[in-house]
Amino acid sequence: MALMRHEKYAGERVWWLLGMAVVGVLVVIDILTGHQINGVYAGGAVLTAVFCGPGRTAAVAVTALVASIASGVWNDNLGDSAWAVRFVACALLCSVAVLTAVVSRRRRRDLERTTTLAQHVLDALAVELTGARTVTDVADGFIGHARDTLGAKSAMVLVLDPDDVLRTVTWAGRGGAAADQFQEVPLTSDVPGAVAAREGTDLHYRSVREIEAAFPALAGYYPTDLSLHVLPLRRGERTLGLLALTFPVGSFTPAEDGFLHSMAGALASALLRAEELQSADAATQRTALLAEASMTLSRSLDLDSTLAEIVRLLVPRFADWCSVQLLDGDELRTVAVQHRDPETTAWARGMVDAFPTRMDAPTGGPNVIRTGRSEIYPYLPADLVDAAAHDDEHRTILRRLGFTSAIVAPLTGRHAVLGVVTLIHAESGRRYTDADLAFLEEIADRAALALDTAATFEQQSERLAGVTLVAEAAQRAILAPPPPRVGPVALTARYISAAVEAKIGGDLYEVVDGPSAVRLLVGDVRGKGLTAVRTATVVLGAFRAAAADTGDVAEVAREIDRRLLPYLPDVEDFVTAVLVDIHHDGRFTIVSCGHPSPVLMTAGDGARALDLEHAVPLGLGADPRPTEGVLRAGDRLLLFTDGLIEARAPDGSFVDPTAFLDAVATAPVETALDGLLDALQRAAGHSLEDDLALLLACYDPD
């Protein structure tokens, strides 16, 4: 800046000297020619006025006037009419020159001020917006620097939503409760912002009197005099929103309105870029969160830990607020609430019981419970927020929280809707889209399975507390009988505990209706006792969660292996298992992780064990290769644990169950396993010495 001032001073000095030289040349011509020309001596002042300030111009003008008087002396006509006419002309031209210099200096100063302001604003924004990736970040950064640099009394940015309502993103210098009416501005309303956005035209009012003359309804709104500048934020034919600024009267002249327009254009470009970044970031976050949720939600079998994991996953990466509500009888009970700020979270948890959920509410959690369908609110109108309030106090709290967008999705467990999860954007200013809704529904499905598993395990843990001996009833609390039919597959299962003296084992089975096939699991945990039962429960929970995904059955096995490892009590522990997918067209896929092969039973060929490629058991890095086949109508698959092939006869030899299996292929499905167990126990001559789990699946598309 000092160098620029020095260069400017040097340039003006040259033109001042040139102006003086012009006066001198004209004087010499006057003297040498004898023709009096004192009227044009002002030419030096006129030349100086073009390039210099009023001070230097006045110096040349005074010199010209003095020389004009002197001309009357040497031409011996001082005071007569001819000299006087020329002197007056010189004086007028000098006056015009000085006045021109004054006006030019003022304009130059205004231009320099505008240029300096623009540079300061742009420099500040360049630094502030470098890391800004949301619309709110851009708006906050812009407004903060606009107030500091331009000296604005207030500044606000609004975005235009698809429902043709301008909604406030940020507002610095907001005044009083009367300003609440401008938090949301319908495009059809008769206020400056709506008119500017509707017509796509900048509006400038230099005083409150001008504002009230144009909009009588605003009479008395502004307590002090000010100027108002309302500028639509446009890109091409699209109106993104609005920038509104107020200044002390006289701060900005009409000549500087163009600068404000350019500033609004820069803000529009920044907001458009932020929209694109925000959308890209959201897509990336959705992908990352979905992968993380699939891996982490089934790690814990504790209900409180699972709830904490759900809200941790979603806040703040996908929401400013997250709440989980579970059905407790006919009521929705809030069991988890989280905000991005820990202090606000603590406050919210203390308010949970103050405003219970109204189950007759037409929207939100109660309606999602009734319909089983999610709800999305890309923007939350003020009247919808007000309608959710219990009373005036509650309404005031909700308004202060500044909710902008919300999604409510059902938590659908294996047998019923367990509750709802609600996500809300507030201070971040972000808006939910249909892509976000689809994502949350996937998260909600995984969360519901995890909650269902945790709740089941909690119930089972209560039942199993203190149990150390075999209890078939306790085992059935873990291994619930499968439904008689899932899709095209008829099912039946049996579990037989070992002798009364033995401890509870870890044999297990499960059936899940997957996205493209009926999925079956039979497994055997190494070891006995409550530890084996706990491991079995982990495997079942992991299977239910993984089986809900679209991956093939080999990927389900690998996912169970990954989830199981942290829960194995010893490095030598493992779980053998066989997993089967039966598709609706009869195709089946089987993988074995160190487990006996299933038996295929057909009407024409009898019973035969399938030839499989066996991988290492679960928990030891299982990476199985699938075997495929096709079932015809009436074909059956028998999955079993090693209690079937390790039963011993009274003489100590192993009982061969092959002779009993043909009957299983032809007996009614619901009783086929009873006949197998009766025959096996007769051949053994005593109670079985090992647990035995049997799962029979019959392909019956009709």
Side-chain angles (χ1 to χ4, degrees):
M1 288 296 289
L3 180 60
M4 291 177 63
R5 284 196 296 269
H6 176 74
E7 291 176 349
K8 178 182 175 184
Y9 176 82
E12 285 194 3
R13 187 170 182 274
V14 169
W15 287 105
W16 171 68
L17 292 174
L18 188 57
M20 288 292 194
V22 168
V23 175
V25 169
L26 292 174
V27 168
V28 170
I29 292 172
D30 189 324
I31 294 172
L32 294 178
T33 62
H35 295 290
Q36 192 172 31
I37 57 171
N38 62 310
V40 297
Y41 289 178
V46 172
L47 177 64
T48 306
V50 175
F51 300 102
C52 299
R56 294 182 184 275
T57 302
V60 176
V62 169
T63 302
L65 290 174
V66 171
S68 182
I69 294 172
S71 174
V73 175
W74 65 66
N75 284 299
D76 197 24
N77 64 346
L78 184 64
D80 66 15
S81 59
W83 172 86
V85 169
R86 294 187 183 93
F87 179 79
V88 169
C90 181
L92 287 174
L93 287 173
C94 286
S95 299
V96 170
V98 172
L99 182 59
T100 299
V102 170
V103 172
S104 296
R105 171 58 60 85
R106 185 174 299 163
R107 288 181 177 175
R108 279 196 296 270
R109 283 178 177 172
D110 289 343
L111 180 60
E112 288 173 359
R113 172 177 175 269
T114 302
T115 303
T116 302
L117 286 174
Q119 191 62 50
H120 286 168
V121 170
L122 293 176
D123 287 347
L125 287 178
V127 174
E128 181 70 26
L129 302 184
T130 298
R133 302 187 68 88
T134 70
V135 169
T136 300
D137 289 344
V138 169
D140 287 344
F142 184 91
I143 289 303
H145 287 292
R147 286 193 75 197
D148 295 342
T149 305
L150 303 180
K153 296 183 67 173
S154 69
M156 67 187 301
V157 174
L158 304 94
V159 295
L160 181 60
D161 283 324
D163 61 345
D164 286 340
V165 174
L166 290 160
R167 291 188 171 87
T168 302
V169 176
T170 188
W171 191 346
R174 178 177 180 271
D180 287 344
Q181 61 185 302
F182 299 119
Q183 288 288 106
E184 294 184 356
V185 180
L187 212 55
T188 55
S189 58
D190 187 28
V191 295
V195 173
R198 191 166 63 237
E199 298 179 358
T201 304
D202 297 352
L203 297 180
H204 302 277
Y205 302 97
R206 308 296 167 185
S207 66
V208 169
R209 181 179 298 176
E210 287 187 18
I211 299 172
E212 294 178 349
F215 301 95
L218 295 180
Y221 174 75
Y222 296 102
T224 59
D225 204 11
L226 47 77
S227 65
L228 171 65
H229 307 265
V230 186
L231 307 118
L233 302 173
R234 293 175 63 85
R235 266 291 157 262
E237 296 300 317
R238 179 188 173 194
T239 299
L240 304 175
L242 194 75
L243 170 64
L245 302 163
T246 63
F247 296 96
V249 172
S251 298
F252 276 83
T253 65
E256 296 169 303
D257 290 347
F259 161 68
L260 296 178
H261 180 85
S262 298
M263 191 173 67
L267 175 58
S269 297
L271 290 176
L272 192 60
R273 173 181 173 274
E275 275 188 357
E276 295 169 351
L277 290 173
Q278 196 167 288
S279 178
D281 288 347
T284 302
Q285 288 281 22
R286 286 194 296 268
T287 302
L289 280 174
L290 198 57
E292 186 177 349
S294 298
M295 294 182 63
T296 64
L297 280 178
S298 62
R299 285 179 181 171
S300 174
L301 295 175
D302 177 73
L303 189 61
D304 290 338
S305 298
T306 303
L307 290 168
E309 184 66 13
I310 293 171
V311 296
R312 183 200 68 78
L313 280 169
L314 295 169
V315 177
R317 287 178 289 179
F318 199 68
D320 297 325
W321 288 91
C322 174
S323 73
V324 179
Q325 296 175 291
L326 298 181
L327 273 174
D328 185 3
D330 294 330
E331 300 295 324
L332 267 178
R333 182 170 58 90
T334 302
V335 294
V337 63
Q338 183 80 21
H339 183 262
R340 59 172 59 238
D341 172 55
E343 292 185 3
T344 305
T345 298
W347 169 83
R349 289 172 179 169
M351 298 291 290
V352 164
D353 295 331
F355 303 104
T357 301
R358 296 194 314 234
M359 296 305 292
D360 61 346
T363 59
N367 190 53
V368 170
I369 290 292
R370 288 191 295 269
T371 64
R373 294 193 299 270
S374 303
E375 293 181 352
I376 180 172
Y377 301 94
Y379 34 85
L380 287 171
D383 55 353
L384 184 64
V385 175
D386 290 347
H390 288 258
D391 49 36
D392 290 342
E393 178 189 0
H394 194 203
R395 184 178 298 107
T396 300
I397 292 173
L398 293 178
R399 285 181 176 177
R400 286 177 181 171
L401 293 175
F403 298 152
T404 60
S405 186
I407 305 179
V408 187
L411 293 166
T412 306
R414 298 178 64 208
H415 305 296
V417 176
L418 306 177
V420 297
V421 56
T422 301
L423 302 185
I424 298 174
H425 279 318
E427 56 269 26
S428 70
R430 292 177 290 180
R431 306 297 172 96
Y432 288 115
T433 65
D434 289 340
D436 297 323
L437 174 61
F439 160 77
L440 179 60
E441 288 177 337
E442 290 193 62
I443 290 288
D445 288 343
R446 287 162 172 75
L449 286 171
L451 289 171
D452 212 350
T453 301
T456 302
F457 181 75
E458 189 174 273
Q459 296 167 3
Q460 294 163 354
S461 297
E462 293 175 359
R463 293 172 185 165
L464 293 172
V467 176
T468 57
L469 299 178
V470 171
E472 187 172 353
Q475 193 76 35
R476 289 189 178 278
I478 301 170
L479 301 180
R485 171 179 287 274
V486 177
V489 181
L491 297 161
T492 188
R494 296 292 184 271
Y495 178 84
I496 299 297
S497 297
V500 175
E501 292 79 14
K503 291 187 175 181
I504 300 173
D507 288 14
L508 56 94
Y509 61 80
E510 181 59 291
V511 179
V512 172
D513 190 4
S516 59
V518 179
R519 295 189 150 167
L520 315 176
L521 166 70
V522 167
D524 189 359
V525 178
R526 178 183 180 273
K528 297 288 184 180
L530 292 176
T531 299
V533 173
R534 180 178 183 274
T535 303
T537 307
V538 172
V539 173
L540 291 171
F543 174 69
R544 291 163 189 155
D549 288 332
T550 57
D552 63 20
V553 72
E555 178 56 33
V556 173
R558 287 190 287 269
E559 183 64 19
I560 297 173
D561 181 271
R562 288 193 292 269
R563 298 184 186 200
L564 174 63
L565 187 59
Y567 297 98
L568 291 175
D570 192 276
V571 293
E572 297 180 359
D573 287 335
F574 56 82
V575 179
T576 67
V578 63
L579 296 89
V580 183
D581 267 359
I582 301 178
H583 298 269
H584 290 193
D585 59 3
R587 291 179 299 109
F588 67 88
T589 308
I590 300 180
V591 296
S592 171
C593 300
H595 198 83
S597 299
V599 174
L600 174 63
M601 304 172 182
T602 63
D605 300 326
R608 63 180 177 87
L610 293 171
D611 185 15
L612 304 180
E613 182 175 344
H614 296 274
V616 299
L618 300 173
L620 300 179
D623 186 17
R625 295 179 181 272
T627 298
E628 298 180 345
V630 178
L631 297 175
R632 294 170 297 181
D635 287 354
R636 302 179 181 185
L637 280 175
L638 176 64
L639 285 66
F640 56 92
T641 56
D642 57 12
L644 178 65
I645 56 178
E646 293 183 356
R648 292 183 180 271
D651 62 0
S653 63
F654 288 106
V655 175
D656 184 2
T658 305
F660 317 136
L661 296 179
D662 287 340
V664 178
T666 57
V669 173
E670 59 271 19
T671 60
L673 296 181
D674 294 329
L676 174 60
L677 289 172
D678 288 342
L680 187 64
Q681 288 181 333
R682 283 197 304 271
H686 52 74
S687 298
L688 301 180
E689 297 177 350
D690 197 3
D691 294 344
L692 172 59
L694 301 170
L695 178 61
L696 181 65
C698 176
Y699 180 61
D700 184 18
D702 298 326

